Amino acid sequence: MSIEFGQAVPQQLFTVSDEEFLQSIQWKSKPTGDLMKGAQSGDLGRFCKGLSANLKSIAKLKRSGKLAAEMQWSTLWTDDSVDETCRTSDLINLIRSARKLPVQLKKSSKASQRKKAPELSWDEISRLLVGWVDQISAADPLQPFELLLLIELLENLGYRLAPAALISVWRTCLYSAMTLCFKLEETDFSELPEDQVALISGEVPWRAGLLFSDISGVKNFRQLGQQNLRDSFFDRTDNDGTPHADFFARLDYWLMTLTRATCAGQIWGKNLWDGEALDRFQLSVEKIIAACDASGQIALCPTHTVSHLELLSAAAQIAGLQSRSAERLYLKSLQTVKKRSGFFIQSEECVSTQSDWAAYALMRNYWSDTSNLLVVSWNAEIPVVSLTAMGKLLFQGAWDFSLTVNGEIVTGDGEWCCVCWNTDEDADYLELQMDLDSGFRLERQLLLPRNQHFAFLSDIVTGTEAASIEYRSILPVAAEVTGMVDSETHELTLKSKGLTARIFPIGLPQERDFFQPGSLTFNEQHQLILQQQVSEATALYVPLIIDWEPDLKRKAADWSRLTVSESGKISSRDEAAGHRLRIGAHQLLVYRSLKKAEHARAVLGHHTSYESVIGRFDTNGELNPLLFVE
């Protein structure tokens, strides 16, 4: 009987004595030191002495540095979905009890001992561990996540365990790792989420390969895990590091695995990434940090066990981001600012980004706890948006719609694509498009300025034949936000603590009129619903402006539809749309061409051949453009 990686694992290994098990191990080199010589001779005492010494040095490395608290038990970051009644949960609870025990014995008074007495002693922890391991059998083997938990237990506290418990846990881990090694390439991962695939096929082999680095055949197992992690990372990120929107719902779990694996390699002196992969990993961490709002939450990603702020801080340091980088300073400021008086971090680089491949765009004005952040993904049937205004979450969720043409419901195939992206010192702009049934098309505009506190969102429905069009745009409002409708106009106000946002449906008449169709409402499902309709037209423009400028929240506002003309002839509403919004002394112009023009069109004295124009008028009546789209 021979024990080595890459070979079939005899089931009788479960029943042989510890001495026989250790003597069957094939080492990759001539046995040296207490660990290998103790195993070769079946001397359990000498083997435990060597193993404890090795684990103690690793534990010392893991306890050193600023990340000790976050990384020492980082496997527990992934325990959110574990059933509380299952075997794995018992192991997690046992590990949590072990975490409370002092790592080193210290002299203290009897009074302090009574006050700080732990629930369990090291002897009890060891005994319970042996009992837990005894549940493992060939019929009910160790699960990959359980193996990862035990590996981290050995690395952190293995040297404190009683010899019988240490051997039992180490032996169980080795048997399970060899079994996984033999079966890994035949395992079907098709039903598992990507983060679980990366954990089982990548992190576990990599971590086990480090722990059992002296055993024959383990190098191939470790390299397989390394390659699987690299493949998972490269297959799920764009060249600039942007993660694909498909797994943003579990992005934190995926980042946990990559962060833990990278850290483990640094502790054991084995680099997980080569130069190219490390560069992309750094870029990816930067992209994810840019999506972190002032509350420490990654936009579009639910919080699971670990706080996103804690995870990102660890990932940033482990990835090697410079300590004075805007990303590191931003995370540090979020951690240290208790009473938010406001901070601003200077950065020469724009963090806004867009990826066609990842179906994802991020718009951010600056690094601050009062920054504006708009994140959009369009990989699903309905685009998902997250808007943070001055550090407060305003919208988050699927931006839905409904369309009726001549009384018939019109839907699309869900194949969204980005047709325009622009980022400069004035604003970030994204335009999406989807083909609908019956020859119609739906386009969406999203704009976030750099130095002004508003966002512009619009829907554009276009067709080939004149029809009666009724459209509803449905935006998801954050749970903590309340809404209030103005009694005389179509203006609506959204409020949360420290934020007031005024919503202007500039495609509707300002004054409420029973005879004018259309409305802007806020319902009990926390949805903002903008409804517009038009008769005998080939297009409908549905624009919305959200303004949260503090100095303007009490200023009088008015808006109107503008006359658009081409060569002296007034353009119809389905040819071009122009709108003006005034809040106090600030005036905003919005123009969109709905049909291609032969000549430049004029709107409010401004002549343009562009398809879209968004800008502000200065005190002299000159237009300061935020956006021109050809």
Side-chain angles (χ1 to χ4, degrees), residues 479-496:
E480 61 273 16
V481 176
T482 59
M484 182 176 64
V485 178
D486 187 81
S487 59
E488 297 181 355
T489 74
H490 281 114
E491 180 182 341
L492 188 148
T493 302
L494 296 178
K495 287 188 176 184
S496 65

Side-chain angles (χ1 to χ4, degrees), residues 248 251 286-293 297-300 312 330 360 362 364 367 373 375 386:
F248 250 76
L251 180 67
E286 290 173 355
K287 291 289 189 295
I288 299 172
I289 293 173
C292 178
D293 63 23
Q297 173 83 15
I298 301 172
L300 307 186
L312 291 174
Y330 174 69
Y360 174 85
L362 180 146
R364 187 184 197 108
W367 294 106
L373 176 66
V375 178
S386 174

Side-chain angles (χ1 to χ4, degrees), residues 499-563:
L499 177 71
T500 297
R502 302 173 71 180
I503 317 297
F504 302 102
I506 60 174
L508 295 176
Q510 179 179 350
E511 305 297 328
R512 291 181 177 273
D513 187 339
F514 177 79
F515 297 101
Q516 290 287 341
S519 63
L520 177 65
T521 57
F522 180 71
N523 64 20
E524 294 180 353
Q525 289 74 44
H526 264 72
Q527 294 173 323
L528 192 70
I529 302 179
L530 172 57
Q531 182 176 354
Q532 281 185 222
Q533 62 188 74
V534 66
S535 299
E536 295 304 312
T538 58
L540 175 63
Y541 191 45
V542 188
L544 193 69
I545 294 175
I546 305 105
D547 188 282
W548 55 90
E549 174 62 59
D551 294 339
L552 299 180
K553 66 181 181 181
R554 292 185 177 88
K555 298 291 184 180
D558 61 75
W559 70 88
S560 60
R561 177 182 170 234
L562 302 175
T563 298

Side-chain angles (χ1 to χ4, degrees), residues 334-364:
L334 290 180
Q335 290 176 311
T336 56
V337 174
K338 295 181 180 178
K339 293 184 178 180
R340 296 290 169 81
S341 57
F343 65 84
F344 177 84
I345 296 167
Q346 190 70 37
S347 176
E348 295 181 358
E349 296 184 2
C350 168
V351 298
S352 298
T353 186
Q354 182 271 342
S355 169
D356 289 339
W357 175 87
Y360 174 85
L362 180 146
M363 311 176 202
R364 187 184 197 108

Side-chain angles (χ1 to χ4, degrees), residues 17 33 54 78 132 154 187 268 273 312 314 347 393 439 461 578 580 618:
S17 65
N54 290 352
T78 322
W132 188 90
L154 289 173
T187 304
W268 285 91
W273 310 113
L312 291 174
S347 176
L393 185 62
V461 180
R580 177 196 62 84
D618 62 19

Side-chain angles (χ1 to χ4, degrees), residues 136-182:
I136 309 301
S137 65
D140 191 12
L142 199 66
Q143 298 302 307
F145 183 47
E146 293 172 335
L147 172 57
L148 196 59
L149 287 166
L150 290 178
I151 288 174
E152 197 140 289
L153 175 68
L154 289 173
E155 290 180 347
N156 292 324
L157 298 174
Y159 70 97
R160 294 304 312 271
L161 299 177
L166 178 58
I167 292 177
S168 180
V169 173
W170 188 89
R171 170 180 171 170
T172 301
C173 286
L174 177 57
Y175 179 91
S176 179
M178 290 189 303
T179 303
L180 179 64
C181 175
F182 189 68

